[in-house]
Amino acid sequence: MIQAIDSFFVSFCAKYGLGAPDNIKLVACIFASYPLCGLLKRLPTQSTRNAFNILVSLFFLVGVFDLWTGLRTIMISSLGTYGLAKYMKGGAMPWVVFVFVMGHMSINHIHRQIINNPDVVDITSMQMVLCMKLSSFAWNIYDGRQSPSSLSSLQTDRALKAMPTLLDYLGYVFFFPSFMVGPSFDFVEYKRWLDLSMFDIPSPSPSKSSAPHKKRRRIPHSLIPALRRGAEGVFWLILFLKFASWYSTTYALSPAFASLPFWRRLWYMQPLAFSHRLKYYGIWALAEGSCILSGLGFNGYSPKGKLRWDRVKNISAREFELAQNNKALLEAWNKNTNKWLKNYVYVRVAAIVEKGKPGFVSSLVTFGTSAVWHGFYGGYYLAFGTASFIQTLGRYFRRYLRPFFFTPDMSHPTPYKPLYDILSWALTQSTYNYLVQPFIILNVRESLRLWGRLGFYVHVAIAVCLAFFNFGGARWLNKKLKRRAARSGKGEKKVKELDERHKREVREEEREPKSLGMAMPAETSPILE
């Protein structure tokens, strides 16, 4: 560690009351990535860009955070994966890599849990991002050795026909705009950014392009979209500072909170959970802005010829906050981790174990992977266990209640549909505001204490609703839907279609398990409460 840097952050945090210096260092490193990205994309050769990525990440890792043991961890996982992918030729190779990187990360998760110092940024946040990158890299190498006819379109696009050079590979590992907190992406995307082939996409409407290329410039101008996304991140972090001064889990666990009327305790959970999300909105938006400035965020053009910069978009705060159901809410959160779980865990397990027909085993392995990837704090598992019941309940509501707010042929909403939407939004948000508290508290006993002060209202509601649907309620509602359809002259055709839709939703949600957390543990969030 460079002592002058550490001394500066210690005095700065003490002067302005900003909490743990390591958390402010994390934010500062992401801010520093912006001007460094401006330089990165102007370097003349692939080798210089690789070297610059490695050097900047090493400076963050050991110069700012003094994580020499963390560097050893990164190199063991990275070089171990490279060696296995290069020299192990059989079909077991990606599975061996998966177990290797997950096992190595789990050891550090356990060590972090034993140390239990929330004020210190350790290597696990970076290793969580790396775990996704390395396991996907192994599968990309494996796919490159297979017949193209046996691969899906995505697998064909991401397949690597040859091992990359070690310099290219380490440049990918140490890509500094996303090294600290993500997002993750596949090696092919990095390589296309590195050799600039990513930008060889003609605009469907060149004259209307919002950022035309200059002569000899292959990377489109990205300063404005990067600053816009970065400004959004700053906005969320400033809002977090304000909300964190008003709402805290410390108060929620205090005797004073327990003495409040129930309705006030229930209300307190809503902005408290919002304050938890704000720090994630902020840090992810800042990291995404850095990736955009480097050029990696480029994702082609819209049909109208406008540049798209959403390749590594990891969060949509608007979609999350306005979500009216479990599915929409989770699809807006931690998007790149969800893609990894789907493409490199669920689909792969289904292909091997269940002959390409996803079922119970692939779902179980995927949800287990998501849980272990987060770590071993009991609070994570309280939240995951409850979320599985919420997901099931959400399907029941969409199948048996939502149709009553449409015309019998399901072609038009009734006048009461806006009321259903508002109630769905309120229930969805309130449920998840309750659910996520253990993700922040981490400790099982204290998580249960807080839930107990809320009367376990979500768990009680889950039990009552599941009992209703499973002990006659679903059949009763289905009969009412059939009678309603019969009276309208539509018969039972639409009700059967609802059944088929319900089955498809079950399969789709099982096919796309979601991550509740992020590649930055809650206790190493950018600014503490």
Side-chain angles (χ1 to χ4, degrees):
M1 179 190 296
I2 299 175
Q3 189 59 43
I5 294 176
D6 187 58
S7 298
F8 168 79
F9 280 103
V10 169
S11 60
F12 181 81
C13 292
K15 182 177 180 180
Y16 294 101
L18 292 177
D22 267 16
N23 296 319
I24 307 304
K25 287 179 184 179
L26 182 61
V27 178
C29 286
I30 298 177
F31 274 123
S33 295
Y34 280 72
L36 292 171
C37 281
L39 176 59
L40 171 66
K41 66 182 179 181
R42 287 172 171 80
L43 294 175
T45 65
Q46 296 183 40
S47 58
T48 55
R49 289 193 288 275
N50 280 324
F52 192 71
N53 275 323
I54 295 169
L55 290 174
V56 171
S57 288
L58 288 178
F59 173 74
F60 290 163
L61 193 63
V62 299
V64 177
F65 288 100
D66 199 27
L67 286 173
W68 289 99
T69 56
L71 175 59
R72 181 185 63 195
T73 292
I74 296 296
M75 296 308 294
I76 289 173
S77 287
S78 302
L79 295 180
T81 296
Y82 189 83
L84 287 169
K86 183 174 183 178
Y87 297 110
M88 192 173 179
K89 304 299 182 182
M93 181 273 291
W95 296 106
V96 172
V97 169
F98 176 77
V99 172
F100 167 60
V101 295
M102 285 288 291
H104 192 198
M105 181 181 64
S106 296
I107 292 171
N108 285 316
H109 272 316
I110 293 169
H111 181 260
R112 173 170 60 88
Q113 192 166 339
I114 292 172
I115 300 298
N116 196 31
N117 186 352
D119 292 343
V120 175
V121 170
D122 70 354
I123 196 59
T124 54
S125 60
M126 288 155 265
Q127 201 175 7
M128 290 168 77
V129 178
L130 186 66
C131 176
M132 293 187 284
K133 294 172 78 170
L134 297 185
S135 59
S136 62
F137 173 81
W139 278 111
N140 298 154
I141 291 292
Y142 171 81
D143 289 341
R145 297 168 180 168
Q146 310 307 307
S147 168
S149 62
S150 66
L151 305 176
S152 69
S153 57
L154 176 69
Q155 291 165 358
T156 301
D157 179 68
R158 304 300 165 87
L160 297 172
K161 297 295 184 181
M163 282 294 295
T165 66
L166 187 58
L167 182 60
D168 282 356
Y169 175 76
L170 290 178
Y172 168 64
V173 167
F174 287 103
F175 182 70
F176 70 84
S178 67
F179 179 70
M180 306 296 290
V181 297
S184 173
F185 49 88
D186 290 341
F187 179 84
V188 165
E189 294 173 287
Y190 176 77
K191 183 61 177 176
R192 290 168 181 167
W193 167 83
L194 192 65
D195 63 18
L196 304 182
S197 61
M198 174 184 288
F199 310 103
D200 293 338
I201 302 175
S203 168
S205 180
S207 62
K208 297 181 180 180
S209 176
S210 61
H213 300 352
K214 288 183 177 180
K215 288 183 177 180
R216 301 179 182 176
R217 182 189 180 99
R218 293 177 67 184
I219 302 179
H221 292 283
S222 59
L223 178 62
I224 299 302
L227 291 181
R228 186 182 299 120
R229 192 63 169 151
E232 181 184 339
V234 172
F235 168 76
W236 292 126
L237 289 181
I238 292 174
L239 203 59
F240 167 69
L241 284 174
K242 180 57 67 175
F243 268 75
S245 67
W246 295 336
Y247 305 96
S248 73
T249 53
T250 302
Y251 176 70
L253 292 168
S254 70
F257 180 77
S259 66
L260 294 175
F262 177 76
W263 70 268
R264 289 189 60 185
R265 282 176 270 155
L266 181 61
W267 167 251
Y268 191 88
M269 284 301 101
Q270 315 316 311
L272 174 60
F274 181 61
S275 74
H276 298 330
R277 295 195 292 274
L278 287 172
K279 55 194 172 187
Y280 297 143
Y281 291 162
I283 205 71
W284 268 332
L286 282 173
E288 183 187 338
S290 180
C291 290
I292 290 172
L293 190 57
S294 73
L296 188 73
F298 178 71
N299 199 23
Y301 297 86
S302 72
K304 294 183 179 180
K306 292 185 177 182
L307 295 167
R308 292 176 53 194
W309 294 100
D310 56 355
R311 179 181 296 274
V312 292
K313 190 176 183 66
N314 209 31
I315 182 70
S316 174
R318 182 179 180 276
E319 291 175 11
F320 189 96
E321 297 299 334
L322 297 179
Q324 298 174 16
N325 57 64
N326 169 79
K327 187 173 185 292
L329 183 141
L330 292 180
E331 284 179 347
W333 183 266
N334 211 353
K335 295 183 178 184
N336 288 285
T337 300
N338 293 333
K339 291 176 184 177
W340 170 69
L341 288 170
K342 174 187 175 181
N343 297 323
Y344 296 109
V345 182
Y346 185 85
V347 169
R348 303 297 180 160
V349 173
I352 300 297
V353 179
E354 298 168 315
K355 298 181 180 180
K357 297 180 179 179
F360 173 76
V361 175
S362 47
S363 295
L364 181 64
V365 172
T366 306
F367 279 109
T369 298
S370 181
V372 172
W373 180 79
H374 285 89
F376 299 99
Y377 281 101
Y380 295 153
Y381 295 85
L382 287 177
F384 273 114
T386 305
S388 64
F389 289 103
I390 293 172
Q391 185 178 49
T392 299
L393 195 57
R395 292 196 294 263
Y396 278 124
F397 275 98
R398 288 197 299 278
R399 166 61 182 88
Y400 296 108
L401 287 180
R402 189 172 181 271
F404 285 103
F405 295 88
F406 285 83
T407 55
D409 63 357
M410 297 296 292
S411 61
H412 300 287
T414 69
Y416 299 103
K417 179 61 165 50
L419 176 62
Y420 174 85
D421 291 340
I422 293 171
L423 289 175
S424 295
W425 170 81
L427 288 173
T428 298
Q429 298 297 329
S430 176
T431 296
Y432 273 88
N433 289 342
Y434 168 98
L435 174 69
V436 299
Q437 299 307 323
F439 249 87
I440 305 302
I441 297 172
L442 302 177
N443 180 274
V444 170
R445 180 178 297 178
E446 292 185 344
S447 297
L448 293 176
R449 190 202 316 170
L450 179 55
W451 275 353
R453 289 177 177 177
L454 299 169
F456 291 100
Y457 75 91
V458 168
H459 289 86
V460 171
I462 289 172
V464 170
C465 291
L466 287 177
F468 169 77
F469 283 115
N470 285 284
F471 292 98
R475 289 193 300 273
W476 176 67
L477 290 171
N478 205 34
K479 287 179 181 178
K480 291 182 73 67
L481 284 172
K482 288 180 179 179
R483 285 198 296 268
R484 183 170 176 258
R487 286 195 302 269
S488 71
K490 301 296 181 181
E492 296 184 357
K493 181 180 178 181
K494 290 299 176 183
V495 178
K496 290 180 180 179
E497 290 177 0
L498 287 174
D499 281 328
E500 291 302 317
R501 184 185 303 169
H502 178 65
K503 292 175 183 177
R504 282 199 306 273
E505 286 183 349
V506 171
R507 291 193 296 268
E508 288 172 1
E509 289 191 2
E510 288 177 345
R511 192 176 297 123
E512 299 186 21
K514 303 298 189 293
S515 167
L516 289 175
M518 64 178 292
M520 182 179 69
E523 65 275 19
T524 59
S525 54
I527 305 173
L528 293 180
E529 296 176 352

